[in-house]
Amino acid sequence: MNLTLYVWRQAGPGEPGAMKRYDVPDVSPDMSFLEMLDVLNERLLERGEEPIAFDHDCREGICGSCGMVINGRPHGPQRKTTACQLHMRHFRDGDSIYVEPWRAAAFPVIKDLVVDRSAFDRIIEAGGYISVNAGAAPEANVIPVPKDDAEAAFDAAACIGCGACVAACPNGAAQLFTAAKITHLGLMPQGQAERQRRVVKMVAQMEDEAFGSCTNHRECEAVCPKGIAITTIARMNRDYLKARLFGKG
Amino acid sequence: MWIVDFFRSALGKKAVMAVTGVVLFGFVLGHMIGNLKLYQGPEKLNGYAAALREVGAPFLAHGEALWIARLVLLAAVVLHILAAWQLTLINRRARPVAYVKQVSVASTYASRTMRWGGVIILFFVVYHLLHLTFGSVHPDFRAEDVYRNVVVGFQNPVVSLFYMLAQLALGLHLYHGLWSFFQSLGMSGPRLDVLRRRFAVLFALVITAGNLSFPLAVLSGMVS
Amino acid sequence: MVLDARIPSGPIEKKWDRARFELKLVSPANKRRFNVIIVGTGLAGASAAATLAELGYNVKTFCFQDSPRRAHSIAAQGGINAAKNYRNDGDSIFRLFYDTVKGGDFRSREANVYRLAQVSVEIIDQCVAQGVPFAREYGGLLDNRSFGGAQVSRTFYARGQTGQQLLLGAYQAMARQVEAGKVQVFPRTEMLDLVVVDGRARGVVVRDLVSGEVSSHAGDAVVLATGGYGNAYYLSTNAKGSNVTAAWRAHRRGACFANPCFTQIHPTCIPVTGHYQSKLTLMSESLRNDGRIWVPKTKGDKRPPNEIPEEERDYYLERRYPSFGNLVPRDVASRNAKAVCDEGRGVGPTGLGVYLDFADAIARLGRETIAERYGNLFEMYEKITGEDPYRVPMRIYPAVHYTMGGLWVDYNLMTTIPGLYAIGECNFSDHGANRLGASALMQGLADGYFILPYTIGDYLAQHLGERVTTDHPAFAQVESEVRERYHKLLNASGKRSVDSFHRELGLLLWDHCGMERSQKSLETALAKIPELRQEYHDNVKVLGSAESLNQSLEKAGRVADFFELAELMCIDALERRESCGAHFRIESQTPEGEAKRDDERYSYVAAWQRKEDGDGWTAHKEPLEFEYVQLTQRSYK
């Protein structure tokens, strides 16, 4: 098939950018979206144009590296699918496709479609862990975890940190990301000791970054490639209120 | 102070919006139910209005309870708007560059119009107070005759139309707001998630329908 | 050079205890005077960084990804082995040890593998305490499943995303130390060379991938946790960024590279669809529990699978291996798939694929049960191929998956350069010639949480106060070499893209040093690789500058190193004139066509040292002695 792409090109951080048009003929429906970009990049190189920079690594939908807004939707039109797992058979011959980087003040553009998501790491560093030194752990089966809790914790822990939630949110909020980790650890018995401290510190860090705040549009949930639900956000709110209003800290 | 710190955080502001929002929702619901006395005739409605001033007697003097309620409502309105304003600024800053192309997948008309809807409601409330509480923009206001004020007021089709539009905005605002109330305060669970959605739909519809009925009843001549 | 594996004496079950007693300790007050550099933040790197920081060392970690959480350990699906014996089914540390040595076709070091089995139980404890959401039974206790042909159920898992959950556990433990100020993370920073001063590893030269700036970091020890080199083949199940550069640069500075020809080819991957293919996707091995593998009996049969009658299908694994059937080990399954495709009986548009058919299983167990067991895998398959495996048999083909070879390390995980350690897939140590399923995660975390933190102290304790800073001229020297290397690539101003060279190299390796190798194929490859490498340096086209984010330049540097590694892989494969595990030499097979080892001549680790003048390699051999395991010929008939 033949496609017309409009891709955001930006030479470096803080530099001006613009959408640039590329005609991409001979696209195979079996290609992944990123392979289509690979092919375009090879052709650009032949013409002496610098290839389009985009983040990607595992190309199996699990590392969370890739991320671009495709036709107005983070990761493109297919539900619960990362851009690397999106295949061209979901497009039609003659389609125009708009490709843009994540847009958020907290995710500044580095180049073309590559953005800086280190704010996510700082949120985890603020408290997204259970404090246990290697060697200090008790026998694994000492603490039983109800199967349902383990499953629910897993659902939240499945987050790949891609940032689609922030990209989709009209407010550029990172609540789904933060809440997913708070929910994961808050559901495990091992995570109870630090539960209040964790939520207060992680939320504070989240708000120190340039993220917006939740207005319950549910866009994040709809585009999350791992299907993480906004019930996690309710849980974060509850834990936060408990900690701030009735907690010790 | 911890309460100031709490309000400084965006999550705190959302909680404040939820609590103040639900206070205002309670008022709106009570207000609508009280106004249903319009259909029972002038004595009942005017009697009800007069009785409101005696609430709390003999502990409170004439009109004191009403003023307390007004102060609470005023505080709720101020906090609700202040938090909304501040959150809007935060959210605007968080997305400095807009997408060339963006489609919304899950958001609703109600969720997207909260801010403008809120502004419309604010203007309406000011007008409504001047119109039927203080009477300063009313063509023929008589403090003791609420029933007559309503009927005369709504007989102007332009005024009625504005009232009705505002009620639609209020309905949308309530629908998303009521649902958000549960979410912002962390009230969620597999069963509750179904209930809270139904709750929001039900009360948004009840209040909108009740409030729309008053100008319609006057315009159609059912109440005169 | 004499390779000294420094294996402690005494009975095997006491060796690690003994080592821990004999290893020198660093006092708590002195630990904060040491700086350790860790390159790579996968399971091994992140767990080591967290643990060393917990002990009090100052740690700097580097990764090329934009966040340490994205290292390719994250993609591991199946699970992690541990000798907990929760199932009461006869597992023990010794059995895990035995299975691993045998699975590796007797080409690993007994003492290392035994230690691995010993610490496996502690890994599970540690991960559970970190909040890793492992699968549970209704009673709330941990669930296990069987895996990779083992006869006991010892695999712990978190749905099909065990690697992700374990990595997040290690990443979070590391994040905690970042908060505590003990770990400094440098994401989007690639190690491009090792700095050796007076024969000891003293630091690294890195490139900031965003600004392009080349800079130096000094440390008292350097730990490489940079994964495997499967991407030498271009197409593999590795992440696109996975590369050998850090390990290779260390090799060029004097670290021996061991068993480079041991590369594992995984039998159940989604086949290649076209020339644009950028990577291959693994489908969990567990699919073979219920799927039946077949091809048409006649060559070139192009009918759709559902129209091929039962009697015209060849269930070749069931036919050839009646007792193991579709559950033969990875290397056997892979080789047989290649054989039937080479006969011209492969399926799919390219003819490089075999059917993995669930029709019988669906008829026997019902669609629901199959969906419960493999639903997510079926979904993934459909996403990629657009075919519904509930109705049409899956098509699968083997793909490069894991590299057992790597930097040679002694029992303490130190390479032949003092002060340079290699952990995880990056070293050669524990899997011999073939890795068992669910053992990679075990090894990465064993090295990082429980082995390196002890052994590195032994080295550091002997070098207290011997600080070198980046002001040492060696750093400036290495930096300028790195810059020159990159400028050469940028200035080649040729005509071909990096990817086109990489693809050609990969295909060459796959065809000549892949699932089967022969003297002839390897000699052919060894004649072609230097030619192609020369063309690469003359004719590669890299645009942009070295002073900004330049993904083509990053790739160009990595592919240059793959070229050198590819040559060594072929040399190693050529030298080892036996078949063992994943290394199948056509000349060395049993009459039935199975791998035939030659323990008399090849029971050793081949450790290659690059010659000083850069021209070729010197082979060193570390003999493997087996005291506790009896060497047998594997048979799956």
Side-chain angles (χ1 to χ4, degrees):
Chain A
M1 28 187 207
N2 300 313
L3 301 169
T4 307
L5 254 63
Y6 296 87
V7 184
W8 180 261
R9 299 303 307 260
Q10 180 174 336
E15 298 199 30
M19 298 298 279
K20 198 157 178 221
R21 181 191 157 129
Y22 300 98
D23 293 312
V24 194
D26 303 322
V27 172
S28 156
D30 288 327
M31 284 176 180
S32 70
F33 197 85
L34 302 191
E35 283 169 345
M36 185 271 295
L37 289 180
D38 289 343
V39 167
L40 171 60
N41 273 345
E42 287 274 299
R43 293 177 191 167
L44 289 181
L45 186 87
E46 259 169 49
R47 302 208 298 251
E49 277 182 63
E50 241 195 277
I52 300 161
F54 60 93
D55 266 326
H56 64 101
D57 203 23
C58 79
R59 297 204 177 189
E60 297 180 18
I62 192 75
C63 75
S65 294
C66 66
M68 49 193 81
V69 174
I70 301 168
N71 276 346
R73 289 180 62 167
H75 291 302
Q78 219 191 352
R79 272 183 71 86
K80 287 173 88 171
T81 305
T82 53
C84 64
Q85 295 273 283
L86 172 68
H87 281 67
M88 297 313 292
R89 66 180 74 91
H90 299 289
F91 296 89
R92 264 183 257 142
D93 187 34
D95 273 0
S96 290
I97 304 175
Y98 289 78
V99 191
E100 299 173 72
W102 287 171
R103 292 288 186 200
F107 290 167
V109 173
I110 292 174
K111 184 175 184 175
D112 298 341
L113 304 172
V114 176
V115 301
D116 177 357
R117 288 172 289 199
S118 54
F120 272 7
D121 288 318
R122 291 191 290 275
I123 292 175
I124 298 296
E125 283 157 16
Y129 45 75
I130 289 170
S131 298
V132 52
N133 286 3
E139 213 292 323
N141 258 347
V142 161
I143 305 171
V145 182
K147 188 179 168 71
D148 293 342
D149 287 355
E151 296 288 324
F154 185 97
D155 287 340
C159 169
I160 57 174
C162 64
C165 44
V166 176
C169 177
N171 309 323
Q175 310 243 346
L176 194 67
F177 170 81
T178 311
K181 186 47 65 191
I182 287 169
T183 300
H184 159 212
L185 297 175
L187 276 166
M188 301 297 282
Q190 291 85 352
Q192 299 311 310
E194 293 166 289
R195 189 165 163 183
Q196 292 201 347
R197 185 174 176 271
R198 178 185 309 123
V199 70
V200 170
K201 292 191 71 179
M202 286 180 76
V203 166
Q205 185 64 40
M206 174 180 83
E207 296 188 349
D208 278 351
E209 305 288 347
F211 294 112
S213 125
C214 181
T215 47
N216 304 320
H217 288 296
R218 312 183 68 167
E219 290 287 338
C220 54
E221 172 182 69
V223 303
C224 175
K226 295 295 148 183
I228 292 169
I230 56 151
T231 47
T232 56
I233 298 179
R235 201 184 163 84
M236 170 173 76
N237 292 339
R238 180 163 73 234
D239 279 6
Y240 185 75
L241 294 181
K242 261 192 207 160
R244 292 304 297 266
L245 300 180
F246 312 111
K248 299 179 192 106
Chain B
M1 207 170 66
W2 69 270
I3 191 80
V4 177
D5 282 347
F6 178 70
F7 191 74
R8 252 187 215 135
S9 89
L11 256 62
K13 291 187 209 299
K14 288 296 289 184
V16 167
M17 285 196 73
V19 171
T20 53
V22 91
V23 166
L24 296 171
F25 159 71
F27 163 75
V28 168
L29 181 65
H31 188 49
M32 188 276 286
I33 292 171
N35 284 353
L36 287 175
K37 303 221 179 308
L38 181 71
Y39 297 116
Q40 294 175 311
E43 293 79 33
K44 287 277 183 188
L45 184 65
N46 290 345
Y48 163 73
L52 279 181
R53 294 171 204 283
E54 306 307 327
V55 171
F59 302 102
L60 296 174
H62 171 82
E64 275 183 5
L66 205 58
W67 274 109
I68 289 172
R70 282 172 178 160
L71 285 176
V72 169
L73 288 174
L74 187 67
V77 167
V78 168
L79 284 172
H80 199 78
I81 292 173
L82 177 65
W85 173 256
Q86 291 178 333
L87 286 169
T88 302
L89 289 183
I90 292 174
N91 294 343
R92 289 264 159 85
R93 276 199 295 268
R95 167 74 39 77
V97 183
Y99 290 104
V100 172
K101 189 165 176 175
Q102 189 176 24
V103 295
S104 64
V105 192
S107 65
T108 59
Y109 186 73
S111 75
R112 288 193 300 271
T113 54
M114 286 304 273
R115 285 168 196 153
W116 283 113
V119 171
I120 290 171
I121 292 164
L122 176 65
F123 281 126
F124 165 73
V125 168
V126 171
Y127 174 76
H128 178 54
L129 288 174
L130 296 177
H131 188 224
L132 287 178
T133 304
F134 305 116
S136 42
V137 295
H138 196 277
D140 185 16
F141 188 77
R142 295 180 194 175
E144 298 309 315
D145 195 349
V146 175
Y147 186 89
R148 190 175 174 282
N149 289 343
V150 171
V151 172
V152 171
F154 285 165
Q155 272 166 349
N156 181 338
V158 179
V159 169
S160 277
L161 190 69
F162 176 57
Y163 263 85
M164 288 190 285
L165 285 177
Q167 292 318 307
L168 290 175
L170 178 65
L172 285 173
H173 199 83
L174 277 176
Y175 165 67
H176 187 71
L178 282 175
W179 176 81
S180 293
F181 157 77
F182 290 96
Q183 180 73 5
S184 297
L185 293 183
M187 290 182 253
S188 165
R191 279 181 292 272
L192 187 58
D193 288 349
V194 179
L195 282 180
R196 63 186 194 177
R197 178 67 71 186
R198 288 188 190 152
F199 177 88
V201 173
L202 179 74
F203 280 95
L205 280 178
V206 165
I207 289 176
T208 311
N211 282 347
L212 281 178
S213 76
F214 306 128
L216 284 173
V218 172
L219 282 180
S220 68
M222 209 178 96
V223 172
S224 57
Chain C
M1 179 172 57
V2 181
L3 294 174
D4 179 6
R6 295 206 282 168
I7 298 167
S9 56
I12 196 159
E13 65 278 8
K14 298 267 188 253
K15 282 183 196 291
W16 179 228
D17 256 358
R18 188 184 192 113
R20 283 192 287 182
F21 180 69
E22 287 173 357
L23 291 169
K24 291 182 187 61
L25 296 174
V26 179
S27 78
N30 283 336
K31 283 193 178 107
R32 46 172 192 272
R33 297 170 59 191
F34 286 113
N35 302 311
V36 180
I37 287 171
I38 300 180
V39 185
T41 57
L43 284 180
S47 59
T51 310
L52 290 175
E54 286 160 11
L55 288 171
Y57 297 107
N58 307 306
V59 179
K60 282 183 180 178
T61 66
F62 299 86
C63 64
F64 68 79
Q65 295 92 345
D66 74 322
S67 161
R69 66 179 289 153
R70 307 202 199 284
H72 196 55
S73 304
I74 205 155
Q77 298 172 356
I80 176 167
N81 287 329
K84 282 282 197 186
N85 194 28
Y86 282 159
R87 285 299 181 90
N88 202 24
D89 59 358
D91 199 11
S92 63
I93 287 169
F94 195 88
R95 187 176 295 282
L96 175 55
F97 153 71
Y98 179 85
D99 286 354
T100 307
V101 173
K102 182 187 170 203
D105 219 359
F106 310 98
R107 291 292 173 264
S108 48
R109 216 186 261 152
E110 274 190 342
N112 281 54
V113 179
Y114 195 88
R115 175 179 62 187
L116 176 66
Q118 280 177 308
V119 302
S120 70
V121 296
E122 295 174 62
I123 296 171
I124 302 302
D125 297 344
Q126 179 65 21
C127 295
V128 165
Q130 289 171 344
V132 170
F134 281 118
R136 301 262 166 182
E137 292 172 337
Y138 279 105
L141 302 182
L142 291 158
D143 193 15
N144 291 115
R145 63 181 171 199
S146 65
F147 207 81
Q151 287 163 301
V152 292
S153 291
R154 62 160 76 99
T155 304
F156 295 79
Y157 65 102
R159 291 193 203 154
Q161 283 150 254
T162 317
Q164 181 201 23
Q165 294 308 317
L166 295 176
L167 180 61
L168 291 179
Y171 158 75
Q172 288 163 200
M174 185 169 86
R176 173 175 163 237
Q177 296 304 319
V178 173
E179 177 80 350
K182 295 304 287 181
V183 173
Q184 236 185 315
V185 179
F186 295 83
R188 291 199 199 270
T189 306
E190 183 165 22
M191 167 177 162
L192 294 179
D193 220 327
L194 180 75
V195 180
V196 179
V197 178
D198 299 331
R200 284 162 47 200
R202 302 312 298 257
V204 292
V205 168
V206 300
R207 179 167 177 267
D208 178 328
L209 299 182
V210 176
S211 68
E213 193 194 340
V214 171
S215 64
S216 293
H217 295 265
D220 296 289
V222 176
V223 180
L224 299 188
T226 52
Y229 49 85
N231 271 350
Y233 291 87
Y234 185 69
L235 287 181
S236 82
T237 64
N238 286 5
K240 290 295 287 176
S242 302
N243 68 83
V244 77
T245 290
W248 192 255
R249 290 291 139 187
H251 170 61
R252 290 187 59 130
R253 298 271 169 207
C256 284
F257 208 103
N259 298 337
C261 78
F262 289 169
T263 49
Q264 183 169 74
I265 317 281
H266 197 289
T268 49
C269 299
I270 299 175
V272 173
T273 55
H275 61 89
Y276 48 79
Q277 189 90 27
S278 61
K279 79 151 275 158
L280 296 168
T281 303
L282 178 87
M283 302 294 291
S284 168
E285 194 160 23
S286 61
L287 288 170
R288 287 197 283 145
N289 288 331
D290 285 305
R292 296 181 70 194
I293 294 174
W294 64 275
V295 288
K297 279 188 177 161
T298 39
K299 279 185 200 178
D301 190 338
K302 287 289 167 204
R303 286 176 291 175
N306 300 339
E307 288 173 21
I308 300 179
E310 198 61 29
E311 61 275 11
E312 290 177 44
R313 300 177 176 190
D314 179 12
Y315 295 89
Y316 58 90
L317 287 178
E318 298 171 23
R319 174 170 60 79
R320 293 194 63 192
Y321 307 94
S323 65
F324 273 73
N326 294 301
L327 290 173
V328 293
R330 288 176 178 178
D331 51 337
V332 179
S334 294
R335 231 167 19 245
N336 278 279
K338 175 175 163 37
V340 294
C341 293
D342 288 351
E343 286 169 26
R345 298 196 285 142
V347 300
T350 58
L352 290 175
V354 299
Y355 289 124
L356 177 61
D357 198 336
F358 288 86
D360 286 355
I362 291 171
R364 188 176 73 241
L365 304 163
R367 187 187 158 118
E368 228 166 80
T369 310
I370 294 299
E372 210 173 275
R373 286 184 192 170
Y374 311 111
N376 58 338
L377 294 169
F378 278 34
E379 235 172 71
M380 180 160 90
Y381 181 84
E382 188 173 0
K383 249 180 214 170
I384 294 173
T385 63
E387 290 174 0
D388 175 8
Y390 290 103
R391 294 189 296 110
V392 187
M394 279 186 184
R395 283 177 294 113
I396 53 163
Y397 199 67
V400 175
H401 179 54
Y402 185 89
T403 53
M404 284 73 69
L407 292 176
W408 185 89
V409 290
D410 62 17
Y411 187 74
N412 292 341
L413 306 179
M414 190 154 87
T415 67
T416 49
I417 300 176
L420 177 69
Y421 289 78
I423 58 177
E425 188 179 353
C426 168
N427 73 28
F428 88 104
S429 67
D430 298 346
H431 305 295
N434 179 47
R435 178 177 64 74
L436 288 183
S439 283
L441 304 185
M442 170 172 70
Q443 186 224 335
L445 290 181
D447 288 358
Y449 283 132
F450 297 111
I451 299 171
L452 181 80
Y454 289 93
T455 60
I456 203 169
D458 182 65
Y459 169 81
L460 293 172
Q462 299 171 46
H463 298 290
L464 188 64
E466 300 172 16
R467 171 139 303 179
V468 165
T469 66
T470 52
D471 295 333
H472 192 283
F475 284 91
Q477 171 65 27
V478 175
E479 275 187 31
S480 78
E481 285 173 33
V482 164
R483 285 198 191 94
E484 193 189 343
R485 225 160 63 220
Y486 275 71
H487 283 115
K488 263 189 186 158
L489 288 166
L490 273 172
N491 296 332
S493 36
K495 298 219 154 44
R496 286 180 63 185
S497 71
V498 176
D499 279 347
S500 79
F501 279 106
H502 193 180
R503 238 181 247 123
E504 190 173 343
L505 171 69
L507 196 62
L508 187 69
L509 268 186
W510 177 247
D511 287 342
H512 297 87
C513 189
M515 271 182 280
E516 290 181 350
R517 298 101 189 248
S518 68
Q519 177 156 358
K520 193 167 155 246
S521 75
L522 292 164
E523 281 170 351
T524 312
L526 282 170
K528 284 185 177 169
I529 290 170
E531 283 171 29
L532 191 60
R533 182 172 63 221
Q534 192 56 49
E535 197 204 329
Y536 179 73
H537 287 285
D538 294 341
N539 196 25
V540 72
K541 182 177 187 178
V542 183
L543 298 176
S545 77
E547 282 78 42
S548 68
L549 179 70
N550 188 339
Q551 294 174 325
S552 312
L553 185 63
E554 294 164 23
K555 280 193 279 192
R558 293 167 191 164
V559 171
D561 291 332
F562 279 134
F563 267 111
E564 296 183 7
L565 165 76
E567 190 175 355
L568 184 61
M569 287 166 72
C570 293
I571 291 174
D572 184 46
L574 187 63
E575 282 295 303
R576 192 173 280 278
R577 293 180 173 80
E578 64 159 352
S579 297
C580 59
H583 171 64
F584 189 84
R585 279 288 295 263
I586 289 175
E587 300 92 336
S588 177
Q589 46 183 311
T590 63
E592 297 89 35
E594 302 302 334
K596 198 171 126 205
R597 281 199 327 270
D598 181 350
D599 294 328
E600 289 282 303
R601 296 164 61 205
Y602 295 103
S603 186
Y604 62 76
V605 175
W608 299 90
Q609 184 187 14
R610 199 174 162 86
K611 285 185 182 150
E612 289 280 325
D613 57 8
D615 187 24
W617 287 268
T618 313
H620 300 281
K621 292 172 186 177
E622 180 202 338
L624 291 169
E625 278 144 31
F626 295 92
E627 289 178 67
Y628 295 88
V629 172
Q630 205 189 344
L631 276 67
T632 53
Q633 186 70 40
R634 296 188 308 167
S635 169
Y636 301 96
K637 288 278 167 191

